[in-house]
Amino acid sequence: MGLLKLRRLLVVLILGLLIGVTTAGGGSGKCGFPAVYNFGDSNSDTGGISAAFNAIQPPNGETFFRRPSGRACDGRLIVDFIAEKLKLPYLSAYLDSLGTNFRHGANFATGGSSICPGGYSPFHLGIQVSQFIQFKSRITDLFNRLHSNNKTSIPIKRIARPQEFSKALYTFDIGQNDLAYGYQHSSEEQVRASIPDILNTFSEAVQQLYKEGARYFWVHNTGPIGCLPYSILYNKSPDNRDSNGCVESQNEVSREFNRQLKSRLLKLGKKLPLARIIHIDMYSAKYLLITEAKTQGFVKNPVKFCCGSYYGYHIDCGKREVVNGTVYGNPCKDPSRHISWDGIHYSEAANLWIANHILNGSFSDPPLPIDKACRAPSYA
């Protein structure tokens, strides 16, 4: 082989190696995220609030885990399907002290959490970010001490690697409770007026994580809160309904929240030059499911849910009461036919349907699947 041909061959081989390195997944272009760090509320809580306060009771968890798993659902949440898609283990809750494994991430979401302080839960987004910062600091210190002493026993196998924090995916599903709590304690006009302040707090949280080395952000907007069965049941006005029977005024506030969130994410992308931010239109995905419920095999009635009761008696999922000889609170026989599990949270079947529609990039901006989220452009 001539010297010129040999040089050309070496150039081709080197370019091939460089392409393989930059795509982190060979020819597939997949990112190969080593970990996921999630921030959110009960829509993505895998055991935080259950560990902190009262344990979530049966029949939660019955469909997939066959026991309560700390999730307000009969089975898996969208964050679980994210882990499956990225070929990672299900995320352990940061607040859970037993059986946890933080090698491939951690879940800081807790039920009832909001972006701003003062809602249903003390674990608002600012607290969750503070928990992450402490987690990262302690993990780094522990790893360095174990590594310096050549100790690679069980503890180090169950904790994150410091060098992987900047390569991980940071996911957000939070904001619904800021609106819901506002509806219960103020007017819809006041809730709408509070959106800029809510998103200021959200922006500060993203910037804090960026300073800690986070680079890849996957952000869900808020869903159609006016389509939750309890929203419909507690808002009796027939004039305030859309074509699906949802509370139109509440959904309009959700849409306004989402419009401002998307604008804020664009500004963050310009301000944080190394950030790769993907906005997921969760509202449209969930509303599409509600619109097509019957054709997708779900019960069409928007106020129907599986666990708990509301027939003049509000009975939470996991509880039973006998009223005039009638037992209320027994779960339905087939959760897979219900979009709503308990009047507030989606069923596993609904979560799977939504995950299948959002994780492939169909509702993402830019339109990238989650396993290629690292390829999002910079807006700086």
Side-chain angles (χ1 to χ4, degrees), residues 6-329:
L6 181 60
R7 286 178 176 173
R8 287 177 177 172
L9 178 60
L10 288 173
V11 169
V12 170
L13 290 173
I14 291 170
L15 285 174
L17 289 172
L18 288 173
I19 292 171
V21 169
T22 56
T23 58
S28 69
K30 294 182 180 180
C31 301
F33 293 116
V36 172
Y37 294 98
N38 182 67
F39 304 85
D41 53 33
S42 55
N43 288 316
S44 61
D45 180 2
T46 56
I49 207 69
S50 189
F53 299 116
N54 297 321
I56 291 178
Q57 298 297 316
N60 288 287
E62 66 177 17
T63 296
F64 183 78
F65 300 99
R66 308 299 179 189
R67 57 179 174 77
S69 65
R71 295 159 174 81
C73 182
D74 62 305
R76 290 164 291 182
L77 308 175
I78 291 172
V79 71
D80 295 312
F81 294 116
I82 287 176
E84 289 183 8
K85 179 69 173 179
L86 298 178
K87 296 180 170 54
L88 297 174
Y90 297 139
L91 295 183
S92 292
Y94 170 77
L95 294 175
D96 200 350
S97 58
L98 297 174
T100 52
N101 186 339
F102 300 121
R103 174 62 186 87
H104 295 286
N107 192 355
F108 298 89
T110 54
S113 292
S114 52
I115 293 172
C116 293
Y120 301 114
S121 166
F123 302 109
H124 56 82
L125 183 57
I127 293 294
Q128 293 181 26
V129 171
S130 295
Q131 289 172 336
F132 169 80
I133 292 171
Q134 184 184 72
F135 173 87
K136 176 174 176 278
S137 175
R138 294 180 67 184
I139 285 284
T140 302
D141 178 65
L142 176 60
F143 187 91
N144 289 339
R145 284 190 286 110
L146 290 172
H147 186 70
S148 65
N149 294 327
N150 285 324
K151 293 181 179 179
T152 55
S153 56
I154 291 177
I156 204 169
K157 293 179 180 179
R158 300 176 71 87
I159 65 173
R161 301 298 187 265
Q163 68 272 20
E164 292 179 351
F165 283 110
S166 63
K167 301 174 184 177
L169 183 65
Y170 293 78
T171 58
F172 298 83
D173 193 328
I174 194 166
Q176 176 177 305
N177 287 323
D178 294 86
L179 304 183
Y181 189 84
Y183 291 139
Q184 290 184 359
H185 296 86
S186 62
S187 67
E188 287 185 1
E189 291 75 16
Q190 289 172 310
V191 174
R192 183 188 294 269
S194 71
I195 292 174
D197 287 339
I198 295 171
L199 294 179
N200 284 341
T201 302
F202 180 82
S203 296
E204 290 169 5
V206 171
Q207 291 176 82
Q208 278 186 285
L209 291 171
Y210 183 84
K211 289 178 182 178
E212 292 293 322
R215 294 295 179 262
Y216 306 112
F217 301 91
W218 179 270
V219 183
H220 296 173
N221 69 15
T222 198
I225 191 172
C227 294
L228 298 178
Y230 275 126
S231 293
I232 298 170
L233 289 166
Y234 284 117
N235 287 268
K236 303 293 187 181
S237 174
D239 297 330
N240 192 14
R241 295 285 188 270
D242 65 12
S243 59
N244 284 317
C246 304
V247 182
E248 174 57 30
S249 61
Q250 290 190 0
N251 279 351
E252 171 52 34
V253 174
S254 295
R255 292 192 292 269
E256 178 59 28
F257 178 94
N258 292 337
R259 283 190 285 268
Q260 293 189 36
L261 171 64
K262 189 171 184 178
S263 175
R264 193 63 62 96
L265 292 177
L266 287 172
K267 291 178 181 178
L268 281 171
K270 293 177 181 178
K271 186 175 183 179
L272 310 176
L274 300 179
R276 301 295 181 267
I277 302 173
I278 295 189
H279 166 264
I280 293 79
D281 190 0
M282 185 68 75
Y283 181 101
S284 293
K286 288 182 174 180
Y287 198 80
L288 177 63
L289 171 59
I290 292 163
T291 301
E292 299 186 355
K294 189 173 181 179
T295 61
Q296 298 301 317
F298 293 92
V299 175
K300 177 64 177 175
N301 189 334
V303 300
K304 286 285 188 180
F305 53 96
C306 181
C307 187
S309 294
Y310 189 98
Y311 301 98
Y313 305 99
H314 181 167
I315 300 171
D316 291 334
C317 180
K319 297 181 179 179
R320 291 183 179 87
E321 290 188 23
V322 179
V323 181
N324 297 327
T326 301
V327 178
Y328 293 93

